[in-house]
């Protein structure tokens, strides 16, 4: 028995991978070829995923029967270099396959990194490749890649910032996990620490937006590693990104960019989120990105790809049923689909569009009245007598304990008709 802390260590015996992977010999025959055959697709009778693909040492196809070495000497031109044979054969490496994994990282289409995969394709194929039991020497069933990020499944609308972790562990800390440097070296001459952490978010309407993350220690945008500090090179792992209004006055972003998330961010909305690294200091504010968005070399955080995160809130859900204009005010009908809020809960309504802006603060007093009369507002077009139709949006926001409007809880857009008498609007 040579299993310790979910790792297989030499000397490896045939029962080790069976026991660690929780599988049983086929027809009572112990055969490493049967183990690797489990990684075949389901339609081919496989059960892929039993072997942890993120283990640096695991079965890979390599054209030799002898055990692999992670420090194999090669001679070329009188110079000796050393290679890690588990990284794969030259044939596989020329196809972008490293440690048995095929990374499909689209470039020139930032949105498509949501679809990045690290598929375990270069496992030995029985009957074609050597199936070495020794490939399991050093196999770690709990291994992770040496670049990891937060797993995000919810975003709180009650706080302005989303906090994330991005951790890089070199070989001295994470010797058993697959190193991402193998792929980075293909795209850029920069090392992992020279990249800027960033986030890509796609909303339910298909809008995609990217932004660099802010270093929580320095409160600035930095690379993953900051060189030449008083403490030498410093690696950082804690970052944040501003999603919602925090009540502060921020510098005006460049045209077309936003300080708060510009996509659909109502409570209950689902967002697709990918954390990634990019080698250029760009989009310091939220920037819309499309399928032809090309900017530098980027690399997704392997553990943080295409995560589905729901926006949630402690505010009582509120729905705008309808709104219309009556003489000198907007009449807004609301409902609380999940039950009434506690007395004293506050909301802020805004009606905007076509030159209009009306802001109205509302506090639930337990009366059960679900019709609000909102004054026209001080900002509106000069309307001549007659009938006019404008496309307006009525939105409602939660109000924080400090009195700031926070997350958008609901919105409704529609054409609103104004019948203006000869005397004009009474505002």
């Amino acid at each position: 028995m040579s299993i310790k802390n979910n790792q297989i260590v030499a000397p490896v015996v045939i029962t080790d991978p069976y026991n660690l992977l929780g599988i049983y010999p086929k027809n009572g025959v112990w055969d490493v070829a049967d183990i690797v055959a489990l990684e075949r697709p389901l339609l081919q009778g496989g059960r892929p995923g039993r072997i942890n693909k993120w283990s640096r040492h695991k079965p890979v196809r390599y054209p030799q029967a002898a055990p692999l070495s992670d420090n194999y000497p090669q001679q070329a031109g009188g110079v000796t270099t050393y290679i890690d044979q588990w990284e794969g054969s030259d044939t596989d490496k020329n196809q972008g396959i490293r440690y048995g994994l095929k990374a499909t990282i689209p470039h020139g289409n930032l949105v498509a990194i949501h679809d990045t995969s690290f598929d375990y394709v270069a496992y030995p194929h029985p009957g074609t490749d050597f199936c070495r039991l020794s490939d399991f020497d050093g196999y770690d069933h709990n291994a992770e890649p040496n670049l990891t990020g937060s797993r995000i499944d919810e975003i709180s609308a009650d706080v302005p910032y989303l906090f994330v972790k991005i951790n890089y562990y070199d070989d001295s800390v994470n010797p058993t996990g697959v190193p991402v440097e193998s792929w980075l070296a293909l795209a850029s001459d920069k090392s992992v620490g020279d990249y800027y952490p960033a986030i890509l978010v796609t909303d339910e309407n298909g809008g995609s937006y990217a932004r660099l993350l802010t270093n929580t220690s320095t409160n600035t945008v930095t690379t993953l590693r900051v060189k030449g500090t008083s403490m030498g090179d410093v690696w950082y792992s804690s970052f944040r990104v501003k999603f919602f209004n925090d009540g502060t006055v921020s510098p005006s972003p460049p045209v077309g960019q936003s300080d708060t998330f510009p996509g659909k961010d109502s409570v209950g909305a689902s967002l697709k989120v990918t954390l990634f690294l990019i080698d250029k200091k760009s989009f310091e504010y939220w920037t819309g990105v499309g399928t032809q968005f090309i900017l530098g070399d980027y690399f997704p955080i392997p553990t943080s790809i295409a995560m589905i995160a729901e926006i949630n809130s402690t505010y009582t859900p509120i729905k705008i049923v309808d709104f219309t204009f009556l003489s000198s005010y907007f009449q807004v009908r609301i409902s609380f689909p999940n039950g009434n809020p506690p007395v004293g809960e506050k909301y802020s309504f805004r009606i905007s569009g076509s030159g209009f802006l009306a802001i109205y603060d509302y506090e639930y007093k337990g009366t059960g009245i679900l019709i609000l009369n909102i004054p026209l507002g001080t900002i509106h077009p000069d309307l001549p007598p007659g009938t006019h139709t404008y496309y307006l949006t009525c939105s409602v926001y939660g109000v924080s304990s400090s009195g700031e409007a926070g997350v958008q809880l609901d919105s409704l857009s529609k054409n609103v008709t104004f019948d203006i008498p000869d005397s004009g609007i009474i505002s």
Side-chain angles (χ1 to χ4, degrees):
M1 185 80 173
S2 48
I3 298 176
K4 183 178 181 181
N5 297 325
N6 278 329
Q7 297 181 32
I8 297 176
V9 295
V12 184
V13 296
I14 187 62
T15 54
D16 290 338
Y18 278 94
N19 291 332
L20 188 54
L21 301 179
I23 56 179
Y24 299 93
K26 185 178 181 180
N27 300 321
V29 178
W30 305 79
D31 188 347
V32 69
D34 287 339
I35 300 175
V36 297
L38 292 174
E39 292 301 320
R40 293 177 302 179
L42 287 171
L43 293 179
Q44 297 178 21
R47 294 160 61 190
R50 298 307 290 258
I51 297 174
N52 178 12
K53 67 180 181 179
W54 292 117
S55 180
R56 185 171 186 153
H57 287 188
K58 62 181 175 293
V60 294
R61 62 187 179 207
Y62 200 89
Q64 72 177 42
L68 304 183
S69 169
D70 53 14
N71 198 29
Y72 184 78
Q74 280 191 330
Q75 294 282 341
V79 178
T80 301
T81 58
Y82 296 87
I83 64 170
D84 184 351
Q85 291 181 307
W86 267 282
E87 189 173 1
S89 65
D90 289 340
T91 300
D92 280 343
K93 287 191 288 189
N94 288 337
Q95 299 178 46
I97 299 172
R98 294 293 192 275
Y99 296 96
L101 308 183
K102 174 70 172 178
T104 55
I105 306 171
H107 287 276
N109 181 358
L110 185 60
V111 177
I113 63 171
H114 284 317
D115 302 321
T116 299
S117 64
F118 291 86
D119 293 330
Y120 184 20
V121 299
Y123 55 88
H125 291 64
T128 302
D129 304 308
F130 292 104
C131 298
R132 296 169 296 270
L133 177 62
S134 58
D135 279 9
F136 278 104
D137 183 6
Y139 170 77
D140 184 351
H141 200 53
N142 294 333
E144 288 192 332
N146 67 346
L147 178 67
T148 63
S150 295
R151 294 171 173 85
I152 303 166
D153 56 14
E154 62 180 17
I155 297 173
S156 173
D158 299 338
V159 294
Y161 297 91
L162 172 66
F163 292 85
V164 301
K165 290 279 190 181
I166 297 178
N167 294 297
Y168 170 74
Y169 305 103
D170 63 21
D171 289 353
S172 65
V173 180
N174 180 12
T176 65
V178 169
V180 301
E181 294 91 335
S182 297
W183 292 284
L184 285 179
L186 302 178
S188 174
D189 59 355
K190 295 185 177 180
S191 63
V192 178
D194 298 324
Y195 281 70
Y196 293 89
I199 187 170
L200 171 70
V201 180
T202 299
D203 67 14
E204 294 176 334
N205 295 327
S208 294
Y209 309 89
R211 184 172 187 173
L212 296 184
L213 302 180
T214 297
N215 186 322
T216 58
S217 296
T218 66
N219 201 33
T220 59
V221 170
T222 70
T223 50
L224 203 59
R225 175 187 58 200
V226 177
K227 298 180 180 179
T229 69
S230 59
M231 298 164 44
D233 291 357
V234 178
W235 287 85
Y236 291 96
S237 61
S238 297
F239 299 88
R240 62 177 170 81
V241 62
K242 187 175 181 180
F243 251 87
F244 307 108
N245 191 340
D246 63 356
T248 63
V249 178
S250 301
S252 297
V255 176
Q257 300 183 35
S258 174
D259 192 35
T260 57
F261 181 68
K264 183 178 179 181
D265 60 359
S266 300
V267 171
S270 292
L271 305 177
K272 184 185 291 185
V273 180
T274 292
L275 301 179
F276 66 102
L277 302 179
I278 188 165
D279 69 349
K280 287 183 172 60
K281 190 177 183 180
S282 51
F283 40 79
E284 293 190 50
Y285 294 90
W286 287 105
T287 303
V289 294
T291 57
Q292 298 303 314
F293 191 84
I294 303 173
L295 186 65
D297 293 311
Y298 43 82
F299 187 85
I301 310 297
T303 58
S304 305
I305 298 173
M307 301 171 289
I308 302 302
E310 181 175 303
I311 298 177
N312 57 32
S313 172
T314 58
Y315 292 111
T316 304
I318 184 172
K319 183 174 180 59
I320 299 171
V321 179
D322 195 14
F323 71 102
T324 189
F325 184 76
L326 298 176
S327 181
S328 62
Y329 59 88
F330 293 100
Q331 186 175 85
V332 180
R333 289 193 294 124
I334 63 175
S335 69
F336 297 101
N338 295 351
N340 293 337
V343 173
E345 188 158 312
K346 297 178 180 180
Y347 302 88
S348 181
F349 287 82
R350 297 182 185 181
I351 299 175
S352 60
S354 302
F356 290 86
L357 178 60
I359 300 176
Y360 180 78
D361 293 330
Y362 166 70
E363 180 177 336
Y364 184 73
K365 298 184 180 298
T367 59
I369 297 175
L370 300 179
I371 297 178
L372 309 179
N373 293 330
I374 299 178
L376 175 64
T378 58
I379 300 176
H380 57 78
D382 293 329
L383 301 178
T387 300
H388 310 273
T389 300
Y390 294 93
Y391 190 72
L392 304 181
T393 297
C394 181
S395 303
V396 58
Y397 300 82
V399 176
S400 68
S401 57
S402 61
E404 298 292 338
V407 62
Q408 183 184 102
L409 302 174
D410 194 32
S411 67
L412 177 65
S413 299
K414 59 177 287 189
N415 288 318
V416 178
T417 299
F418 296 77
D419 291 318
I420 308 303
D422 292 339
S423 58
I425 295 178
I426 301 173
S427 59

